Amino acid sequence: MSLAASTPTLLPRRKVSGIFEDFDSKAVFEKCEAAVLSKDTNNFVLEFENVSAQCALNVDAEGIREICSSKRTRKSSTRWINIWSPETQQESLVAIATHYGFSPRLLGLMKCKPLTPQLVPTTAHYRRLDFWHTPKTRSNLEKVIQEKSIDIERDHERIDDPSTQSEAIDLNHYTIVNEVWHYASVDWGSKYLCIGYNSLYNTAATLKTDSGSTPRNQNRPAGKRVWMWLVLCDDGTVISIHENAYPNHDAHLDHDEQKNLDIIRRNLRNVFCQISSANEHNLQNPLETLPIRATSPKIDGLDGQPHASQADIPSLLFYYLFDDWYTSYSLVARKEHQYGTQLELLRARMFTTADLQHVDDLHHYGRQLAVLKRIYQSYSNIIERVLDGSKQIENTRSNASDNAARMQQEVESTEASETTMSTSIGVPISTMARVRFERLKDRIGLYCLNEIQDCIDEKDALVLLNFNLIAIKESSAVESLTRITILLAKVTILFLPVSLMTGYFSIQIEDLVGVYTSVTYWTCFAVIITLSFCFLVVFGRLSGTQESKPIYQSLSRVFFNKSKDFFRSKSAPQPKTKVTA
């Protein structure tokens, strides 16, 4: 259904008037919501104000150019242009960049093609390769290192050659953001504010613990990394550009891939649905209610008045697209997050069997947590730069306005005012968005960075604990071996005099034949064995080698306790069983 025939037109349309539909209509809203979660959707354009909203799906480059060139007042409506897979819509990007004055470098980065399965072998690439530390791959490690050394030498030769220098050093944008997950960008122009960052989505709900089938040996966090551009323009337009989550994937997504795509676009879908008055999700979960449009339908007696002025809506839309609380909560913010759970399970396994394999697992967990920490630090740096830049722009404009007011008494006041205002660079965010960015920065520091740092500290403590448990285990083994050796030596010393006595009685001497009897032998045996036992007791007491229990109980104590438990269980009354007919 065309918006021009049903609702007041927000903008003067020429060729694109027929592609916009009433977003407040139930049928149109459901169709657009399903399109947001579809991989086949290339883009959408959404324009709204407090009384009406209209949406267009899969707009071509000519339509994007016409929409951007349409005249409108900033206070009348807010425009949201969302683009997926920008490498397939380069003409649309050129139209947007030309209208808002993007720098050639920024436009070139947005038009970069996604990564292909085969990457150019560079030194930096090999320094960041992830290895699976399993027994099968350890045997081939020397061979791999030799192959890498040959490739690195070839790379140096290619870099020295000017004709192949650009081929050896691959500076593709998506290569950089895939290697450096905490890479971020903040650009200011005369008509726009642009930020770029990596978003990590928790597509793996839990980390399994079985070796060989788990992501625990990876040096990067488990999840799906997707690069995103957010642009706030001076005419109330917000542009969001998303990296293709599944490049070189022309066929339809399977069940797991579609589920991951739903997770990746969950925050965008929530913001998108909040703009329509036909949305009923805000009645189900108040946490998903966003103050973007007037409250419709009414909730708990609210009169449907807008939460913010129309001038604040673009900045608020810009903020809510950046603030993906779902992902942060699922990754590290909640109490039972995956890394805390895995560290606790690993700690329990250490007390069962202390092994050096645990140190390798902790190493990989530490690498993952370090990468995750740098990602959230990059978010905090983006917020700082946005807040500081916005404050400087407002101060510059305020000073320019004061200078223009003082110069109005002169003849060329108008020209001087226009010249001063035209030199200002950047688009400041509104006060309401600034307050929310400051709150988001506090939440990142308190709920994310502090939690990650606690996990890193716990990881370091577990490494020391594992080594201490291994040392205790080895010490216990040595003590047990020493105890057995001492016991065998005592038995030898105990029976050595008796052996000598027996050898003496067994000698066939004519003068002694018939002198010693069996009573004499056993009497001497009892005396010698008693003296030997007393000697061992006194020697053990003086030398400190008697049996004690520094770690384990002595053998006599173990035997005594086992016997006591056995007889106690025998003497305990048996419970009577009630037999029912």
Side-chain angles (χ1 to χ4, degrees), residues 7 23 39-40 65 77 95 162 237 244 328 341 389 391 415 480-481 484 516 572:
T7 59
F23 192 52
K39 184 180 182 296
D40 298 331
R65 186 177 295 105
S77 65
T237 299
N244 189 356
S328 299
T341 303
K391 186 181 298 184
E415 297 179 358
S480 178
L481 181 61
I484 294 174
Y516 299 122

Tab-separated table of all heavy atoms in Angstrom, residues 7 23 39-40 65 77 95 162 237 244 328 341 389 391 415 480-481 484 516 572:
chain	number	residue	atom	x	y	z
A	7	THR	N	-1.554	8.327	3.918
A	7	THR	CA	-1.077	9.181	5.000
A	7	THR	C	-0.443	10.416	4.424
A	7	THR	O	-0.056	10.457	3.255
A	7	THR	CB	-0.035	8.429	5.854
A	7	THR	OG1	1.047	8.038	5.008
A	7	THR	CG2	-0.649	7.198	6.498
A	23	PHE	N	4.314	2.344	7.355
A	23	PHE	CA	4.965	1.464	8.319
A	23	PHE	C	4.104	1.238	9.551
A	23	PHE	O	4.356	0.307	10.323
A	23	PHE	CB	6.323	2.047	8.714
A	23	PHE	CG	7.202	1.101	9.462
A	23	PHE	CD1	7.464	-0.167	8.974
A	23	PHE	CD2	7.775	1.459	10.678
A	23	PHE	CE1	8.278	-1.048	9.662
A	23	PHE	CE2	8.598	0.588	11.368
A	23	PHE	CZ	8.846	-0.672	10.852
A	39	LYS	N	18.257	-12.803	4.703
A	39	LYS	CA	19.546	-12.521	4.075
A	39	LYS	C	19.374	-11.894	2.694
A	39	LYS	O	20.274	-11.214	2.191
A	39	LYS	CB	20.359	-13.810	3.962
A	39	LYS	CG	21.766	-13.614	3.402
A	39	LYS	CD	22.492	-14.934	3.315
A	39	LYS	CE	23.929	-14.710	2.792
A	39	LYS	NZ	23.906	-14.190	1.398
A	40	ASP	N	18.233	-12.112	2.069
A	40	ASP	CA	18.002	-11.595	0.722
A	40	ASP	C	17.694	-10.107	0.701
A	40	ASP	O	17.678	-9.512	-0.382
A	40	ASP	CB	16.846	-12.362	0.077
A	40	ASP	CG	17.158	-13.845	-0.075
A	40	ASP	OD1	18.350	-14.183	-0.214
A	40	ASP	OD2	16.212	-14.658	-0.023
A	65	ARG	N	19.740	7.814	-4.463
A	65	ARG	CA	20.179	9.144	-4.897
A	65	ARG	C	19.019	10.146	-4.849
A	65	ARG	O	19.189	11.282	-4.417
A	65	ARG	CB	20.769	9.061	-6.304
A	65	ARG	CG	21.389	10.359	-6.791
A	65	ARG	CD	22.023	10.205	-8.163
A	65	ARG	NE	23.150	9.280	-8.120
A	65	ARG	CZ	23.135	8.049	-8.588
A	65	ARG	NH1	22.008	7.562	-9.137
A	65	ARG	NH2	24.193	7.269	-8.523
A	77	SER	N	11.111	15.266	10.127
A	77	SER	CA	11.162	13.806	10.154
A	77	SER	C	12.596	13.348	10.333
A	77	SER	O	13.543	14.118	10.195
A	77	SER	CB	10.585	13.220	8.859
A	77	SER	OG	11.394	13.596	7.764
A	95	ALA	N	26.340	7.393	-4.048
A	95	ALA	CA	25.302	8.421	-3.984
A	95	ALA	C	25.231	9.038	-2.593
A	95	ALA	O	25.113	10.269	-2.449
A	95	ALA	CB	23.954	7.810	-4.373
A	162	PRO	N	59.719	-3.126	-5.667
A	162	PRO	CA	58.642	-2.135	-5.761
A	162	PRO	C	57.477	-2.607	-6.620
A	162	PRO	O	56.340	-2.204	-6.400
A	162	PRO	CB	59.340	-0.918	-6.385
A	162	PRO	CG	60.791	-1.126	-6.115
A	162	PRO	CD	61.000	-2.607	-6.142
A	237	THR	N	19.509	12.424	9.300
A	237	THR	CA	19.608	11.102	8.682
A	237	THR	C	20.618	10.255	9.439
A	237	THR	O	21.710	10.729	9.783
A	237	THR	CB	20.032	11.217	7.211
A	237	THR	OG1	19.049	11.973	6.507
A	237	THR	CG2	20.156	9.848	6.578
A	244	ASN	N	28.885	-8.016	5.393
A	244	ASN	CA	28.187	-9.242	5.021
A	244	ASN	C	28.623	-10.358	5.961
A	244	ASN	O	29.791	-10.754	5.990
A	244	ASN	CB	28.498	-9.608	3.569
A	244	ASN	CG	27.648	-10.749	3.060
A	244	ASN	OD1	26.858	-11.330	3.798
A	244	ASN	ND2	27.791	-11.071	1.786
A	328	SER	N	26.249	-7.702	24.987
A	328	SER	CA	27.098	-7.515	26.165
A	328	SER	C	26.606	-8.351	27.335
A	328	SER	O	27.400	-8.935	28.075
A	328	SER	CB	27.127	-6.030	26.554
A	328	SER	OG	27.656	-5.251	25.498
A	341	THR	N	31.795	-19.515	33.997
A	341	THR	CA	31.393	-20.913	34.174
A	341	THR	C	32.518	-21.867	33.808
A	341	THR	O	32.789	-22.835	34.525
A	341	THR	CB	30.152	-21.207	33.310
A	341	THR	OG1	29.100	-20.305	33.671
A	341	THR	CG2	29.703	-22.635	33.502
A	389	GLY	N	34.283	15.300	21.085
A	389	GLY	CA	34.109	16.023	19.829
A	389	GLY	C	32.813	16.799	19.782
A	389	GLY	O	32.762	17.926	19.274
A	391	LYS	N	31.220	18.052	22.321
A	391	LYS	CA	31.357	19.226	23.192
A	391	LYS	C	32.181	20.325	22.525
A	391	LYS	O	31.838	21.514	22.607
A	391	LYS	CB	32.021	18.799	24.501
A	391	LYS	CG	32.094	19.903	25.545
A	391	LYS	CD	32.784	19.407	26.805
A	391	LYS	CE	32.009	18.266	27.420
A	391	LYS	NZ	32.611	17.823	28.705
A	415	GLU	N	27.680	38.377	6.019
A	415	GLU	CA	28.710	37.589	5.352
A	415	GLU	C	29.682	37.001	6.363
A	415	GLU	O	30.108	35.859	6.228
A	415	GLU	CB	29.466	38.462	4.349
A	415	GLU	CG	28.581	38.983	3.234
A	415	GLU	CD	29.350	39.868	2.279
A	415	GLU	OE1	30.553	40.086	2.527
A	415	GLU	OE2	28.741	40.332	1.298
A	480	SER	N	55.396	-40.664	49.512
A	480	SER	CA	54.934	-42.057	49.552
A	480	SER	C	56.064	-43.017	49.227
A	480	SER	O	56.219	-44.065	49.880
A	480	SER	CB	53.782	-42.236	48.564
A	480	SER	OG	53.341	-43.575	48.546
A	481	LEU	N	56.860	-42.668	48.212
A	481	LEU	CA	58.009	-43.517	47.864
A	481	LEU	C	59.018	-43.568	49.004
A	481	LEU	O	59.572	-44.632	49.316
A	481	LEU	CB	58.659	-42.990	46.587
A	481	LEU	CG	59.869	-43.773	46.063
A	481	LEU	CD1	59.463	-45.202	45.718
A	481	LEU	CD2	60.458	-43.077	44.843
A	484	ILE	N	57.713	-45.859	51.774
A	484	ILE	CA	57.862	-47.278	51.453
A	484	ILE	C	59.316	-47.718	51.597
A	484	ILE	O	59.621	-48.808	52.106
A	484	ILE	CB	57.339	-47.540	50.030
A	484	ILE	CG1	55.834	-47.288	49.976
A	484	ILE	CG2	57.654	-48.965	49.594
A	484	ILE	CD1	55.257	-47.392	48.573
A	516	TYR	N	72.711	-76.847	71.955
A	516	TYR	CA	71.559	-75.948	71.804
A	516	TYR	C	70.323	-76.738	71.398
A	516	TYR	O	70.372	-77.594	70.502
A	516	TYR	CB	71.829	-74.877	70.744
A	516	TYR	CG	73.006	-73.980	71.089
A	516	TYR	CD1	74.093	-73.869	70.245
A	516	TYR	CD2	72.997	-73.259	72.281
A	516	TYR	CE1	75.145	-73.046	70.548
A	516	TYR	CE2	74.060	-72.446	72.602
A	516	TYR	CZ	75.134	-72.332	71.744
A	516	TYR	OH	76.185	-71.515	72.058
A	572	ALA	N	25.893	-51.677	63.820
A	572	ALA	CA	24.782	-50.735	63.686
A	572	ALA	C	23.498	-51.490	63.417
A	572	ALA	O	23.478	-52.449	62.640
A	572	ALA	CB	25.061	-49.749	62.552
